[in-house]
Amino acid sequence: MGDVLAGFHAAWEFESDSVLIRYERGIRTPRLFSALGERRIPLAAIEAVALEPGRRGTVVLRITPRPGADPLAEAAAGQLKESSDPYRLVLPAERDALAEYYADELRAGLTESGPAERFLVAAPKAPLSFKAYDAKASFDGRTVRFRWSWTGASSAKWKAGDQSFAVSGLSGVEWRSPEALEGHLRLLRAQDPPAQPDRDPAAVVFGLGYGAVHESLPFAAAVLSAVRGRGPVAAVTAPGPRRGPAHVAERIRHLGELHRAGLVTDEEFSAKKAELLAEL
């Protein structure tokens, strides 16, 4: 057992070849941390270490993982709020000298840099499941299943029927945070150009209260890790190609449905509608 540095919401245990992060459980702990429980981060997975001032009399010890080393970070693709970053340890400011010592010790142990050829941090373990707005998604380690909800699924998805996807047939995962408008989880297949998420049988869409980050992100990371285990493939998070007027009109129609259902606020509806109209 190595030295332990305890902060708010987590404790880091420093070992010769890794950092074991144990997250607290409680009503004040970010729900993602509680869901993760603990994570072992090999030193080979770490790109950089920083110590910086925090808010309200705190300091923050931060790890930056190497690109491609952590399936959770790859799936999140920079979308997590700072408070939910699992690589931050927040400490009282009076412990800055001790934090600086451990930061220096970590830096001294780093030997790798640049993109990793494979995942070095373990993914959340299957089986995993969560409820999205239009489906229940489950993953047993080999197969992803979507079971459509009669209250939320589009007619296109009902027509396609419940879906099962073997990991062997997937090429990647696209996760858009449920904390953003039009959040979704999409399974990517090389042979199929993606449709809009609400009409794509390989995607589930999030709505207010559905597909929360602490449920959907570990799910996406686990699927991505299983896919990557077959070969080098990354999560895809870039926006799709620019669409024509018919596409914009359809998106506004769908946005209106979400607004009438109370899943989008007046402000969100107005802002997104203006954004869509700007594409014309």
Side-chain angles (χ1 to χ4, degrees):
M1 180 177 294
D3 295 341
V4 177
L5 183 61
F8 300 111
H9 309 314
W12 290 13
E13 182 175 333
F14 301 91
E15 301 181 349
S16 60
D17 61 351
S18 63
V19 179
L20 178 61
I21 303 178
R22 293 190 175 93
Y23 301 101
E24 293 181 357
R25 299 179 184 272
I27 58 175
R28 295 186 178 182
T29 300
R31 298 179 75 182
L32 178 61
F33 292 3
S34 297
L36 293 175
E38 69 176 41
R39 310 188 78 212
R40 184 176 297 278
I41 315 300
L43 297 187
I46 300 175
E47 178 83 22
V49 181
L51 182 66
E52 54 200 35
R55 300 177 181 177
R56 300 177 182 177
T58 63
V59 293
V60 178
L61 181 58
R62 185 194 301 271
I63 286 174
T64 300
R66 293 171 59 197
D70 178 11
L72 192 83
E74 291 294 296
Q79 298 176 76
L80 289 177
K81 294 180 178 178
E82 186 177 72
S83 60
S84 295
D85 182 350
Y87 285 103
R88 295 172 73 250
L89 181 65
V90 182
L91 303 144
E94 57 267 23
R95 306 191 72 188
D96 61 340
L98 185 60
E100 183 63 54
Y101 167 78
Y102 284 113
D104 288 341
E105 289 290 301
L106 279 177
R107 293 187 191 103
L110 302 186
T111 58
E112 305 288 340
S113 63
E117 296 182 356
R118 61 183 178 86
F119 287 137
L120 301 173
V121 182
K125 293 182 179 180
L128 294 165
S129 66
F130 70 92
K131 183 179 180 183
Y133 173 65
D134 61 354
K136 180 178 180 180
S138 60
F139 178 52
D140 62 7
R142 295 182 178 180
T143 305
V144 182
R145 293 180 172 85
F146 295 157
R147 183 176 181 181
W148 306 122
S149 165
W150 69 271
T151 57
S154 66
S155 58
K157 290 182 176 180
W158 273 112
K159 184 177 180 179
D162 292 345
Q163 300 289 302
S164 295
F165 302 91
V167 166
S168 59
L170 302 178
S171 61
V173 178
E174 177 183 88
W175 182 80
R176 302 285 176 85
S177 174
E179 295 178 341
L181 201 59
E182 298 192 27
H184 62 267
L185 181 144
R186 189 200 308 270
L187 306 176
L188 302 178
R189 298 171 293 176
Q191 71 274 21
D192 296 334
Q196 283 301 310
D198 63 321
R199 297 180 179 278
D200 186 350
V204 297
V205 298
F206 307 141
L208 187 63
Y210 295 90
V213 169
H214 72 285
E215 297 175 330
S216 61
L217 179 57
F219 186 103
V223 176
L224 181 59
S225 180
V227 172
R228 180 74 69 84
R230 300 183 300 103
V233 51
V236 177
T237 57
R242 189 179 181 89
R243 307 289 184 174
H247 166 79
V248 173
E250 176 62 18
R251 297 311 303 148
I252 291 176
R253 179 199 64 76
H254 178 63
L255 186 64
E257 292 177 356
L258 295 177
H259 182 239
R260 288 190 292 275
L263 298 174
V264 174
T265 66
D266 293 343
E267 293 78 9
E268 289 172 332
F269 174 76
S270 298
K272 186 59 180 179
K273 182 178 179 181
E275 178 183 324
L276 290 169
L277 289 173
E279 296 184 9
L280 295 174

